[in-house]
Amino acid sequence: MEQENRVLQLDPATNLPNRFELVKALDEELKNMDGNTNGAVMVIGLDNFQLVNEVCGPNVGDEALRQITDNIMNVLPYDIQLYRLDGDQFCIFWPESMPEEMEIVFASLQLSLRDIAVIEDKVYCTTTAGVAFYPRDGKDSDTLLRNAQAAKTIARQEGGGDRISFFQEAAYERWRYNIMMQGFMKNSIARGCEDFFLCFQPQVRAADASLYGAEALLRWTSGTGEVLPPLEFIPVLEKTRLIIPAGHWIIEQAVKTCKKWLEYMPDFQMSINISLYQLEEQMLFPFVEDCLQRYDMDPKHIVFELTEGQNVTDWDFVNEQFASFRKLGVRIAMDDFGSGYATLDFLRQFECDLIKLDRSVIEDMLTREFNKNLVKYAIKLCHKLDLEVCVEGVEEEDIYLCLRDECEADAIQGFYFGKPETEDVFVKRFRK
Ligand code: C2E
Ligand code: CA
Ligand code: CA
């Protein structure tokens, strides 16, 4: 009796029952679950809703929420209760529902949320929903809510939002792993890049195979003790902008190592990969200038590589940033040339000193005349433009000889001359 008369806990802005009520109702549904019980929990998120409060003020925000509430209720079946979770999230649970039904409801819900009168033309909000089905994706309210919310977050982060997404175990595990990696990497960087180290891959002159430089390549020992290849963790560093502090450390380590090696290899050159996000940081140039000064390093021994794979939208900005490094004496390389979809455009836009020809370009060059000619004339073209060419990914002697004799490449970097090695191993191999 007491149960039935209790006052519902309502959210003051929308008059909807709150999270507490949702959990209670959902627990009730799941408590008596038998072999036939099934249904879905859908979390609906209003992306960017905080902008409404910021641009229009909190009163308009509350009014918008009320209109949104009405609009959502209008597209839901009459017996489905809408709940408001915290902030910009709503939730429903829907017994015996099918994915198709959820999609249809979401589509009309999206439409109905397009025109919220009080914010129309002022703020553009998208809507993203995540769905978890019971019993498949969880048998208790906590797990179901977590999984529906995670499906929504993943859809927003990876798909850009404005969609409905159904919980998938594999995608969730990947996402959780990435979040964990971010945490590990953040701690590692806070402790002075403790679990990071650099490997160095030799670069040789094509003419006589003599060593003249190395590329510094980042490695990370993950929380589980496994050394991960950069393609697995650099995107995470970039996405979280942790590449900025890590980038400082990389540059410092590479310059320090180069300084040591210059003692017995006076013409040595150290190549350092720079990601676009690092260029966007105001402090990069002063940091590099200071670092070179601290190690008394002549900038001519340093090369910065920018990969062709980077999605550059503002070439003036990139060239301006690199121009200041070039003025200092640092050389600039275009990395992975030939691997992108707009190679010639990159060449046209990017002011650089040398080109690194991508491994994919030299594939099949010994078996297909056309491919060999492509490499040969790409190198010729670069030479005409006063650009030096280093060919990457050379694994066999025959390819090296062809690049040297027929294609006139200037430099080679590839497993044939050495894999990336730690500082100690590199020194042992190359110190005369
Ligand atoms: P990248 O800059 O193109 O570096 C060359 C990659 O090709 C290295 O992979 C190297 O091990 C590999 N490689 C070199 N020669 C051969 C060969 O003969 N055969 C084959 N199969 N592979 C070869 P790694 O070390 O896994 O690095 C992958 C990418 O990660 C790099 O490609 C670079 O884009 C990025 N990266 C590495 N270190 C850094 C860093 O410090 N900062 C940034 N922003 N990116 C980095
Ligand atoms: Ca590179
Ligand atoms: Ca490359």
Side-chain angles (χ1 to χ4, degrees):
M1 206 52 202
E2 196 189 315
Q3 275 283 317
E4 280 171 22
N5 285 342
R6 84 187 166 81
V7 181
L8 276 183
Q9 293 197 27
L10 298 182
D11 160 54
T14 56
N15 255 343
L16 288 175
N18 64 13
R19 172 189 288 274
F20 175 78
E21 298 295 342
L22 165 75
V23 170
K24 221 170 162 36
L26 193 52
D27 281 344
E28 195 60 31
E29 157 88 359
L30 300 170
K31 194 172 76 188
N32 305 317
M33 196 149 55
D34 60 27
N36 297 321
T37 314
N38 65 73
V41 172
M42 169 150 82
V43 171
I44 305 152
L46 308 169
D47 312 328
N48 313 324
F49 190 78
Q50 87 283 0
L51 280 180
V52 175
N53 289 324
E54 285 160 13
V55 173
C56 311
N59 286 337
V60 174
D62 282 352
E63 179 49 36
L65 275 178
R66 278 189 285 275
Q67 287 185 26
I68 288 168
T69 304
D70 289 346
N71 285 5
I72 301 180
M73 298 232 280
N74 282 341
V75 300
L76 289 180
Y78 74 95
D79 56 345
I80 298 296
Q81 174 66 53
L82 180 65
Y83 297 85
R84 175 156 186 230
L85 303 181
D86 13 56
D88 48 13
Q89 297 192 95
F90 295 84
C91 187
I92 59 170
F93 78 91
W94 185 332
E96 292 172 21
S97 58
M98 311 283 283
E100 295 76 16
E101 276 174 305
M102 302 311 263
E103 274 170 351
I104 293 168
V105 165
F106 181 71
S108 23
L109 190 146
Q110 249 185 328
L111 271 182
S112 78
L113 295 185
R114 280 277 173 271
D115 43 15
I116 300 299
V118 284
I119 57 171
E120 221 176 343
D121 304 330
K122 293 198 191 80
V123 183
Y124 180 72
C125 288
T126 54
T127 316
T128 307
V131 180
F133 288 97
Y134 53 89
R136 192 193 66 191
D137 303 329
K139 293 186 180 67
D140 60 89
S141 56
D142 213 40
T143 312
L144 283 165
L145 268 171
R146 183 198 70 187
N147 289 350
Q149 235 147 0
K152 178 188 75 106
T153 306
I154 296 169
R156 202 177 157 199
Q157 285 178 356
E158 289 173 8
D162 227 0
R163 65 192 66 222
I164 181 169
S165 163
F166 298 100
F167 176 79
Q168 282 175 317
E169 189 75 36
Y172 175 69
E173 285 306 326
R174 224 181 312 121
W175 177 75
R176 233 171 59 113
Y177 174 75
N178 264 344
I179 303 269
M180 261 168 46
M181 284 241 295
Q182 281 174 27
F184 281 139
M185 282 202 275
K186 207 167 157 200
N187 286 337
S188 175
I189 289 168
R191 289 192 306 263
C193 290
E194 199 175 72
D195 308 316
F196 289 91
F197 62 97
L198 290 182
C199 278
F200 301 91
Q201 186 178 25
Q203 297 171 326
V204 304
R205 295 179 190 90
D208 58 2
S210 60
L211 180 81
Y212 75 91
E215 176 172 4
L217 294 159
L218 189 61
R219 299 289 180 263
W220 183 60
T221 315
S222 79
T224 57
E226 183 191 2
V227 176
L228 294 186
L231 293 181
E232 277 188 33
F233 66 84
I234 284 184
V236 181
L237 286 180
E238 291 186 332
K239 204 162 129 192
T240 53
R241 303 296 190 268
L242 284 170
I243 191 70
I244 291 172
H248 284 198
W249 181 87
I250 296 165
I251 294 168
E252 174 116 17
Q253 296 306 304
V255 168
K256 190 158 100 185
T257 308
C258 183
K259 184 69 189 175
K260 279 193 250 169
W261 293 353
L262 280 172
E263 276 176 33
Y264 44 90
M265 296 182 276
D267 297 325
F268 199 80
Q269 275 185 23
M270 184 67 84
S271 295
I272 304 169
N273 292 289
I274 300 287
S275 115
L276 199 54
Y277 301 103
Q278 288 173 266
L279 280 190
E280 285 163 5
E281 182 222 1
Q282 297 286 325
M283 290 307 290
L284 183 66
F285 182 77
F287 173 80
V288 170
E289 209 178 18
D290 176 65
C291 181
L292 295 174
Q293 256 169 22
R294 273 186 290 122
Y295 289 94
D296 186 26
M297 168 66 71
D298 184 338
K300 74 175 187 200
H301 297 291
I302 302 298
V303 178
F304 281 168
E305 299 188 358
L306 179 75
T307 173
E308 190 195 300
Q310 303 263 350
N311 188 10
V312 179
T313 46
D314 186 350
W315 276 111
D316 289 343
F317 173 78
V318 169
N319 285 327
E320 208 178 287
Q321 300 301 305
F322 278 132
S324 47
F325 288 112
R326 291 173 95 195
K327 215 148 116 205
L328 209 62
V330 171
R331 300 204 309 145
I332 306 299
M334 182 196 300
D335 202 359
D336 308 324
F337 183 69
S339 65
Y341 56 86
T343 290
L344 278 185
D345 188 54
F346 231 83
L347 195 57
R348 217 162 55 86
Q349 306 267 19
F350 186 28
E351 292 157 15
C352 59
D353 306 287
L354 66 110
I355 298 287
K356 295 190 77 178
L357 208 57
D358 191 64
R359 190 160 77 91
S360 59
V361 183
I362 62 167
E363 239 175 309
D364 301 336
M365 67 178 281
L366 294 186
T367 48
R368 283 191 62 200
E369 188 72 9
F370 180 88
N371 290 13
K372 185 176 76 189
N373 283 331
L374 190 66
V375 174
K376 185 167 154 183
Y377 291 109
I379 294 176
K380 256 198 192 350
L381 170 70
C382 292
H383 285 166
K384 284 268 184 236
L385 298 170
D386 258 345
L387 297 163
E388 253 176 61
V389 180
C390 173
V391 181
E392 283 193 291
V394 176
E395 295 182 354
E396 295 155 32
E397 183 175 31
D398 290 355
I399 295 193
Y400 159 56
L401 294 176
C402 178
L403 286 167
R404 181 188 72 183
D405 301 332
E406 285 189 62
C407 304
E408 295 176 34
D410 303 295
I412 308 283
Q413 181 183 333
F415 291 174
Y416 179 62
F417 290 105
K419 292 193 170 173
E421 305 282 10
T422 55
E423 186 178 335
D424 296 350
V425 178
F426 190 95
V427 168
K428 264 193 208 123
R429 251 199 86 187
F430 292 102
R431 187 169 184 175
K432 306 239 165 51

